[in-house]
Amino acid sequence: MNNRDFAEYYIRQVAFAGIGSEGQARLASSCVAIVGCGGIGSAAAEQLSRAGVGKIKLIDRDYVEWNNLQRQVLFDEEDARRALPKAVAAARKLKTINSQVHLEPIVADLCSENVEELLEGADLIVDGTDNFETRYLLNDACLKAKRPWIYCAAVSSYGMLMPIIPGRTPCLKCLFPREPEAGRLATCATAGVINSITGLIASLATAEALKLLVESGKAAQGLISVDLWENLFEVRRAGKRSDCPACAQGRYEHLEARGEAAVRLCGRDALQVRPPSPQALDLKGLARRLRKAGEVEENGFLLRLRAQGRELVLFPDGRAIIKGTEDPKEARSFYAEYIGL
Ligand SMILES: [Zn+2]
Protein backbone atom coordinates (compact mmCIF):
# COMPACT_ATOMS: atom_id res chain seq x y z
CA MET A 1 0.00 0.00 0.00
CA ASN A 2 1.32 3.48 -0.76
CA ASN A 3 0.97 6.65 1.28
CA ARG A 4 -2.14 7.73 -0.59
CA ASP A 5 -3.87 4.49 0.34
CA PHE A 6 -2.98 5.07 3.96
CA ALA A 7 -4.34 8.61 3.85
CA GLU A 8 -7.57 6.98 2.77
CA TYR A 9 -7.29 4.20 5.39
CA TYR A 10 -7.79 6.72 8.21
CA ILE A 11 -10.05 9.21 6.42
CA ARG A 12 -13.15 8.53 8.54
CA GLN A 13 -11.17 8.72 11.76
CA VAL A 14 -9.41 11.96 10.77
CA ALA A 15 -12.82 13.42 9.90
CA PHE A 16 -13.86 12.83 13.51
CA ALA A 17 -13.29 16.16 15.30
CA GLY A 18 -11.90 14.51 18.44
CA ILE A 19 -8.96 13.12 16.49
CA GLY A 20 -8.35 15.13 13.30
CA SER A 21 -5.04 15.06 11.42
CA GLU A 22 -3.06 16.21 14.45
CA GLY A 23 -4.49 13.38 16.57
CA GLN A 24 -3.83 10.90 13.79
CA ALA A 25 -0.17 11.96 13.68
CA ARG A 26 0.05 11.48 17.45
CA LEU A 27 -1.36 7.99 17.16
CA ALA A 28 1.16 7.16 14.45
CA SER A 29 4.02 8.15 16.73
CA SER A 30 2.66 6.28 19.79
CA CYS A 31 3.53 2.92 21.26
CA VAL A 32 0.98 0.82 23.15
CA ALA A 33 1.77 -2.37 25.05
CA ILE A 34 -1.00 -4.92 25.36
CA VAL A 35 -0.41 -7.33 28.21
CA GLY A 36 -2.39 -10.51 27.60
CA CYS A 37 -3.82 -11.28 24.15
CA GLY A 38 -7.03 -12.98 25.27
CA GLY A 39 -10.61 -11.82 24.74
CA ILE A 40 -10.03 -8.19 25.74
CA GLY A 41 -6.39 -7.94 24.60
CA SER A 42 -6.92 -9.32 21.11
CA ALA A 43 -9.99 -7.18 20.43
CA ALA A 44 -8.21 -4.06 21.72
CA ALA A 45 -5.14 -4.91 19.61
CA GLU A 46 -7.27 -5.14 16.50
CA GLN A 47 -8.98 -1.79 17.13
CA LEU A 48 -5.74 -0.01 18.00
CA SER A 49 -4.09 -1.39 14.85
CA ARG A 50 -6.96 -0.27 12.66
CA ALA A 51 -6.84 3.15 14.38
CA GLY A 52 -3.21 3.50 13.30
CA VAL A 53 -1.23 3.34 16.56
CA GLY A 54 2.36 3.33 15.30
CA LYS A 55 3.79 0.56 17.43
CA ILE A 56 2.10 -2.22 19.38
CA LYS A 57 3.85 -4.61 21.76
CA LEU A 58 1.89 -7.83 22.18
CA ILE A 59 2.90 -9.61 25.38
CA ASP A 60 1.41 -13.02 26.12
CA ARG A 61 2.62 -16.21 27.82
CA ASP A 62 0.10 -18.62 26.34
CA TYR A 63 -0.81 -20.42 23.11
CA VAL A 64 -4.04 -20.61 21.12
CA GLU A 65 -6.54 -23.30 22.15
CA TRP A 66 -9.96 -24.21 20.82
CA ASN A 67 -11.76 -22.73 23.83
CA ASN A 68 -10.31 -19.30 22.92
CA LEU A 69 -11.91 -18.98 19.51
CA GLN A 70 -15.41 -18.07 20.76
CA ARG A 71 -14.16 -14.62 21.85
CA GLN A 72 -10.50 -14.05 20.96
CA VAL A 73 -11.06 -12.30 17.66
CA LEU A 74 -7.54 -12.46 16.20
CA PHE A 75 -7.32 -16.26 16.17
CA ASP A 76 -8.76 -18.93 13.91
CA GLU A 77 -9.02 -22.72 13.75
CA GLU A 78 -5.63 -23.13 12.11
CA ASP A 79 -3.94 -21.20 14.98
CA ALA A 80 -5.57 -23.56 17.50
CA ARG A 81 -4.64 -26.64 15.45
CA ARG A 82 -1.02 -25.48 15.35
CA ALA A 83 -1.06 -24.28 18.99
CA LEU A 84 0.70 -21.06 18.01
CA PRO A 85 1.76 -18.67 20.77
CA LYS A 86 -0.97 -16.03 21.04
CA ALA A 87 1.47 -13.12 20.64
CA VAL A 88 2.81 -14.60 17.39
CA ALA A 89 -0.61 -15.50 15.95
CA ALA A 90 -1.96 -12.06 16.89
CA ALA A 91 0.93 -10.24 15.19
CA ARG A 92 0.47 -12.30 12.01
CA LYS A 93 -3.22 -11.45 11.80
CA LEU A 94 -2.68 -7.78 12.63
CA LYS A 95 -0.06 -7.47 9.88
CA THR A 96 -2.73 -8.39 7.32
CA ILE A 97 -5.11 -5.82 8.83
CA ASN A 98 -2.72 -2.85 8.86
CA SER A 99 0.77 -3.37 7.46
CA GLN A 100 1.87 0.09 8.61
CA VAL A 101 1.80 -0.77 12.30
CA HIS A 102 5.10 -1.91 13.80
CA LEU A 103 4.26 -5.04 15.79
CA GLU A 104 6.43 -6.58 18.46
CA PRO A 105 5.19 -10.01 19.60
CA ILE A 106 6.70 -11.09 22.92
CA VAL A 107 6.09 -14.65 24.16
CA ALA A 108 6.77 -14.28 27.86
CA ASP A 109 5.21 -14.36 31.28
CA LEU A 110 5.25 -10.84 32.71
CA CYS A 111 6.99 -10.97 36.10
CA SER A 112 8.80 -8.59 38.44
CA GLU A 113 12.14 -9.39 36.79
CA ASN A 114 11.09 -8.48 33.25
CA VAL A 115 8.13 -6.10 33.53
CA GLU A 116 10.13 -2.86 33.40
CA GLU A 117 12.13 -4.00 30.38
CA LEU A 118 9.07 -5.31 28.53
CA LEU A 119 7.10 -2.09 29.02
CA GLU A 120 10.03 0.15 28.07
CA GLY A 121 9.05 2.69 25.41
CA ALA A 122 5.28 2.20 25.80
CA ASP A 123 3.23 5.38 26.08
CA LEU A 124 0.30 3.43 27.43
CA ILE A 125 -0.55 -0.10 28.56
CA VAL A 126 -3.79 -2.01 28.06
CA ASP A 127 -4.47 -4.67 30.68
CA GLY A 128 -5.58 -7.86 28.98
CA THR A 129 -4.53 -10.08 31.89
CA ASP A 130 -6.74 -12.42 33.85
CA ASN A 131 -5.26 -12.20 37.34
CA PHE A 132 -4.62 -9.69 40.11
CA GLU A 133 -1.04 -10.75 40.70
CA THR A 134 -0.04 -9.45 37.26
CA ARG A 135 -2.27 -6.38 37.53
CA TYR A 136 -0.65 -5.29 40.80
CA LEU A 137 2.71 -5.70 39.11
CA LEU A 138 1.55 -3.57 36.17
CA ASN A 139 0.22 -1.00 38.65
CA ASP A 140 3.62 -0.75 40.37
CA ALA A 141 5.64 -0.66 37.15
CA CYS A 142 3.38 1.95 35.57
CA LEU A 143 3.35 4.20 38.65
CA LYS A 144 7.14 4.02 38.90
CA ALA A 145 7.65 4.88 35.21
CA LYS A 146 4.68 7.31 35.14
CA ARG A 147 3.01 5.43 32.32
CA PRO A 148 -0.80 5.50 32.06
CA TRP A 149 -2.53 2.13 31.92
CA ILE A 150 -6.07 0.92 31.53
CA TYR A 151 -7.29 -1.65 34.03
CA CYS A 152 -9.72 -4.04 32.32
CA ALA A 153 -11.53 -7.18 33.43
CA ALA A 154 -14.36 -9.37 32.16
CA VAL A 155 -15.99 -12.59 33.31
CA SER A 156 -19.40 -14.13 32.56
CA SER A 157 -21.51 -11.15 31.35
CA TYR A 158 -19.77 -8.64 33.61
CA GLY A 159 -16.84 -6.34 33.00
CA MET A 160 -15.09 -3.27 34.33
CA LEU A 161 -12.47 -0.79 33.34
CA MET A 162 -10.64 2.23 34.70
CA PRO A 163 -7.93 4.43 33.19
CA ILE A 164 -5.11 4.80 35.73
CA ILE A 165 -2.97 7.88 35.20
CA PRO A 166 -0.02 8.23 37.59
CA GLY A 167 -0.16 11.47 39.55
CA ARG A 168 -3.75 12.16 38.52
CA THR A 169 -6.12 9.30 39.21
CA PRO A 170 -6.39 6.72 41.98
CA CYS A 171 -4.36 3.57 41.28
CA LEU A 172 -5.39 -0.08 41.35
CA LYS A 173 -4.28 -0.39 44.99
CA CYS A 174 -6.50 2.56 45.93
CA LEU A 175 -9.40 0.75 44.29
CA PHE A 176 -8.58 -2.76 45.52
CA PRO A 177 -6.13 -2.65 48.45
CA ARG A 178 -6.26 -6.45 48.49
CA GLU A 179 -7.07 -8.96 45.81
CA PRO A 180 -10.89 -9.19 45.71
CA GLU A 181 -12.18 -12.52 46.98
CA ALA A 182 -14.68 -12.76 44.13
CA GLY A 183 -11.81 -12.55 41.67
CA ARG A 184 -10.56 -15.86 42.99
CA LEU A 185 -13.88 -17.57 42.61
CA ALA A 186 -15.27 -16.33 39.31
CA THR A 187 -12.93 -16.90 36.40
CA CYS A 188 -13.68 -17.39 32.73
CA ALA A 189 -13.05 -21.11 33.25
CA THR A 190 -15.50 -21.50 36.14
CA ALA A 191 -18.19 -18.88 35.40
CA GLY A 192 -17.75 -18.75 31.62
CA VAL A 193 -17.71 -15.56 29.56
CA ILE A 194 -19.67 -14.22 26.58
CA ASN A 195 -17.87 -12.54 23.73
CA SER A 196 -19.99 -9.38 23.84
CA ILE A 197 -18.55 -8.39 27.24
CA THR A 198 -14.90 -8.91 26.24
CA GLY A 199 -15.59 -7.02 22.99
CA LEU A 200 -17.33 -4.19 24.83
CA ILE A 201 -14.60 -3.77 27.44
CA ALA A 202 -12.00 -3.83 24.63
CA SER A 203 -13.92 -1.08 22.81
CA LEU A 204 -14.11 1.03 25.96
CA ALA A 205 -10.39 0.48 26.54
CA THR A 206 -9.59 1.49 22.97
CA ALA A 207 -11.65 4.67 23.31
CA GLU A 208 -9.82 5.52 26.55
CA ALA A 209 -6.47 4.74 24.90
CA LEU A 210 -7.22 7.01 21.93
CA LYS A 211 -8.36 9.83 24.24
CA LEU A 212 -5.15 9.58 26.25
CA LEU A 213 -2.84 9.24 23.24
CA VAL A 214 -4.24 12.31 21.47
CA GLU A 215 -4.25 14.16 24.81
CA SER A 216 -7.94 15.00 24.56
CA GLY A 217 -8.28 15.60 28.31
CA LYS A 218 -11.45 13.52 28.22
CA ALA A 219 -10.37 10.30 29.91
CA ALA A 220 -13.16 8.58 31.86
CA GLN A 221 -13.03 9.37 35.57
CA GLY A 222 -13.64 6.45 37.85
CA LEU A 223 -14.55 2.81 37.47
CA ILE A 224 -16.88 1.85 34.64
CA SER A 225 -18.86 -1.36 35.31
CA VAL A 226 -21.18 -3.12 32.93
CA ASP A 227 -23.32 -6.25 33.20
CA LEU A 228 -24.77 -7.04 29.80
CA TRP A 229 -27.12 -9.76 31.09
CA GLU A 230 -28.48 -7.67 33.96
CA ASN A 231 -28.57 -4.42 31.95
CA LEU A 232 -26.36 -2.59 34.39
CA PHE A 233 -24.21 0.35 33.31
CA GLU A 234 -22.46 2.29 36.01
CA VAL A 235 -19.62 4.78 36.50
CA ARG A 236 -18.36 4.96 40.06
CA ARG A 237 -16.07 7.79 41.11
CA ALA A 238 -13.12 6.43 43.02
CA GLY A 239 -10.93 8.37 45.44
CA LYS A 240 -7.19 8.24 46.03
CA ARG A 241 -6.25 6.64 49.33
CA SER A 242 -3.92 8.82 51.35
CA ASP A 243 -2.38 5.65 52.81
CA CYS A 244 -1.99 3.83 49.49
CA PRO A 245 1.39 2.07 49.61
CA ALA A 246 1.84 2.34 45.84
CA CYS A 247 0.70 5.79 44.66
CA ALA A 248 0.84 7.72 47.96
CA GLN A 249 3.95 6.21 49.56
CA GLY A 250 5.85 5.04 46.48
CA ARG A 251 6.40 1.53 47.85
CA TYR A 252 6.26 -0.91 44.95
CA GLU A 253 6.04 -4.16 46.86
CA HIS A 254 4.97 -6.29 43.88
CA LEU A 255 7.73 -4.93 41.68
CA GLU A 256 10.33 -5.39 44.38
CA ALA A 257 9.29 -8.96 45.21
CA ARG A 258 11.98 -10.78 43.27
CA GLY A 259 12.28 -14.51 42.92
CA GLU A 260 8.99 -15.31 41.25
CA ALA A 261 7.24 -18.50 42.34
CA ALA A 262 8.63 -21.46 40.40
CA VAL A 263 5.16 -22.86 39.97
CA ARG A 264 1.95 -20.92 39.64
CA LEU A 265 -1.60 -21.38 38.59
CA CYS A 266 -2.32 -20.60 34.97
CA GLY A 267 -6.02 -20.92 34.28
CA ARG A 268 -8.00 -23.92 35.47
CA ASP A 269 -6.36 -27.29 35.94
CA ALA A 270 -3.07 -25.93 34.61
CA LEU A 271 0.18 -24.81 36.21
CA GLN A 272 3.13 -22.86 34.91
CA VAL A 273 6.59 -24.15 35.84
CA ARG A 274 9.72 -22.05 35.42
CA PRO A 275 13.29 -23.27 35.37
CA PRO A 276 15.68 -21.73 37.95
CA SER A 277 17.09 -19.46 35.22
CA PRO A 278 16.00 -18.65 31.64
CA GLN A 279 17.22 -21.19 29.08
CA ALA A 280 17.74 -21.24 25.32
CA LEU A 281 16.46 -24.72 24.54
CA ASP A 282 16.84 -26.59 21.29
CA LEU A 283 13.19 -27.59 20.96
CA LYS A 284 13.74 -29.63 17.80
CA GLY A 285 16.41 -31.78 19.44
CA LEU A 286 14.29 -32.16 22.56
CA ALA A 287 11.29 -33.17 20.44
CA ARG A 288 13.32 -35.96 18.83
CA ARG A 289 14.36 -37.24 22.23
CA LEU A 290 10.86 -37.03 23.74
CA ARG A 291 9.16 -38.92 20.89
CA LYS A 292 9.95 -42.12 22.76
CA ALA A 293 8.11 -40.87 25.83
CA GLY A 294 4.81 -39.77 24.33
CA GLU A 295 3.03 -37.84 21.61
CA VAL A 296 5.14 -34.82 20.61
CA GLU A 297 4.52 -31.80 18.37
CA GLU A 298 6.94 -28.95 17.75
CA ASN A 299 6.03 -25.84 15.74
CA GLY A 300 9.11 -23.64 15.88
CA PHE A 301 7.77 -21.65 18.85
CA LEU A 302 6.89 -24.32 21.36
CA LEU A 303 6.89 -28.04 21.98
CA ARG A 304 3.82 -29.96 23.08
CA LEU A 305 4.11 -33.32 24.81
CA ARG A 306 1.22 -35.58 25.76
CA ALA A 307 2.09 -38.35 28.19
CA GLN A 308 0.53 -40.03 31.23
CA GLY A 309 -2.78 -38.25 30.65
CA ARG A 310 -1.12 -34.85 30.98
CA GLU A 311 -0.08 -32.22 28.50
CA LEU A 312 3.10 -30.18 28.77
CA VAL A 313 3.76 -27.16 26.57
CA LEU A 314 7.38 -26.01 26.66
CA PHE A 315 8.74 -22.66 25.46
CA PRO A 316 12.39 -22.09 24.41
CA ASP A 317 13.15 -20.20 27.67
CA GLY A 318 12.34 -23.37 29.62
CA ARG A 319 8.98 -22.16 30.86
CA ALA A 320 6.26 -24.80 30.66
CA ILE A 321 2.51 -24.93 31.06
CA ILE A 322 1.33 -28.27 32.43
CA LYS A 323 -2.29 -29.26 32.06
CA GLY A 324 -4.12 -31.94 33.92
CA THR A 325 -2.99 -31.12 37.45
CA GLU A 326 -3.41 -28.42 40.09
CA ASP A 327 -0.81 -29.91 42.39
CA PRO A 328 2.48 -27.94 42.21
CA LYS A 329 4.49 -30.98 43.38
CA GLU A 330 3.05 -33.17 40.65
CA ALA A 331 3.68 -30.49 38.04
CA ARG A 332 7.29 -30.10 39.11
CA SER A 333 7.98 -33.80 39.09
CA PHE A 334 6.33 -34.19 35.67
CA TYR A 335 8.52 -31.34 34.41
CA ALA A 336 11.63 -32.82 35.99
CA GLU A 337 10.91 -36.25 34.57
CA TYR A 338 10.64 -35.11 30.96
CA ILE A 339 12.53 -31.84 30.72
CA GLY A 340 14.89 -32.32 33.62
CA LEU A 341 15.97 -28.73 34.29
ZN1 LIG B 1 -3.01 4.16 44.98
Side-chain angles (χ1 to χ4, degrees):
M1 227 188 294
N2 60 36
N3 285 341
R4 236 180 74 201
D5 291 335
F6 272 108
E8 199 172 328
Y9 195 117
Y10 304 117
I11 203 161
R12 297 288 186 270
Q13 186 166 282
V14 170
F16 170 60
I19 294 191
S21 48
E22 196 186 319
Q24 193 63 46
R26 286 194 180 181
L27 295 181
S29 61
S30 301
C31 172
V32 173
I34 297 179
V35 181
C37 298
I40 294 172
S42 63
E46 181 188 346
Q47 292 186 23
L48 291 166
S49 294
R50 289 188 192 273
V53 167
K55 181 174 177 183
I56 301 181
K57 290 186 178 205
L58 301 155
I59 305 167
D60 194 283
R61 66 181 179 180
D62 217 339
Y63 57 97
V64 181
E65 295 180 90
W66 286 90
N67 69 31
N68 303 150
L69 302 185
Q70 160 256 7
R71 64 196 178 284
Q72 304 187 8
V73 296
L74 293 176
F75 312 131
D76 57 33
E77 295 183 4
E78 187 56 22
D79 298 328
R81 230 171 263 128
R82 296 181 59 197
L84 286 182
K86 288 185 184 178
V88 172
R92 285 187 181 175
K93 181 57 69 69
L94 292 172
K95 202 76 206 161
T96 68
I97 290 173
N98 187 346
S99 61
Q100 236 185 4
V101 178
H102 178 69
L103 298 160
E104 192 184 335
I106 301 167
V107 184
D109 182 37
L110 201 87
C111 63
S112 62
E113 274 104 10
N114 65 15
V115 59
E116 290 174 274
E117 188 192 332
L118 294 185
L119 300 183
E120 188 58 48
D123 299 300
L124 181 140
I125 288 94
V126 175
D127 164 21
T129 69
D130 58 0
N131 66 86
F132 260 81
E133 197 183 338
T134 314
R135 290 189 181 109
Y136 281 139
L137 191 56
L138 277 180
N139 190 57
D140 277 0
C142 289
L143 285 172
K144 188 177 169 192
K146 300 191 168 43
R147 296 184 210 282
W149 70 288
I150 303 171
Y151 159 62
C152 302
V155 65
S156 85
S157 60
Y158 182 72
M160 53 176 75
L161 149 143
M162 186 171 93
I164 295 175
I165 307 165
R168 275 171 48 197
T169 69
C171 79
L172 190 69
K173 276 258 154 165
C174 293
L175 207 59
F176 303 108
R178 271 169 301 285
E179 186 169 329
E181 276 300 307
R184 281 206 173 280
L185 301 174
T187 69
C188 292
T190 58
V193 61
I194 54 174
N195 59 20
S196 34
I197 192 64
T198 47
L200 177 69
I201 296 296
S203 291
L204 291 172
T206 302
E208 291 308 314
L210 297 183
K211 288 191 263 181
L212 286 166
L213 293 172
V214 306
E215 296 176 28
S216 68
K218 287 179 180 286
Q221 309 217 345
L223 181 72
I224 302 174
S225 312
V226 181
D227 191 326
L228 290 174
W229 219 253
E230 302 302 328
N231 310 309
L232 169 104
F233 295 83
E234 185 183 80
V235 181
R236 184 158 52 92
R237 285 277 184 151
K240 278 193 188 192
R241 283 174 189 264
S242 56
D243 61 347
C244 174
C247 73
Q249 297 167 9
R251 285 193 290 115
Y252 307 123
E253 51 198 33
H254 301 274
L255 192 58
E256 279 148 22
R258 298 285 154 154
E260 232 61 43
V263 181
R264 66 181 194 173
L265 201 64
C266 179
R268 193 190 196 188
D269 204 24
L271 290 162
Q272 175 179 269
V273 178
R274 274 168 188 282
S277 59
Q279 309 285 312
L281 298 177
D282 165 25
L283 293 184
K284 285 206 187 323
L286 208 63
R288 276 195 299 278
R289 183 163 70 74
L290 287 171
R291 285 217 165 90
K292 293 182 204 104
E295 195 188 321
V296 180
E297 290 162 55
E298 192 273 334
N299 66 13
F301 301 101
L302 54 82
L303 176 157
R304 182 157 59 169
L305 165 74
R306 289 193 184 96
Q308 296 178 37
R310 299 215 177 86
E311 182 175 312
L312 176 147
V313 169
L314 180 71
F315 295 89
D317 62 358
R319 189 170 60 85
I321 294 171
I322 295 170
K323 283 213 240 161
T325 178
E326 284 185 348
D327 178 351
K329 263 200 189 138
E330 262 181 50
R332 275 176 82 76
S333 68
F334 190 74
Y335 182 91
E337 184 177 343
Y338 291 99
I339 312 305
L341 292 169

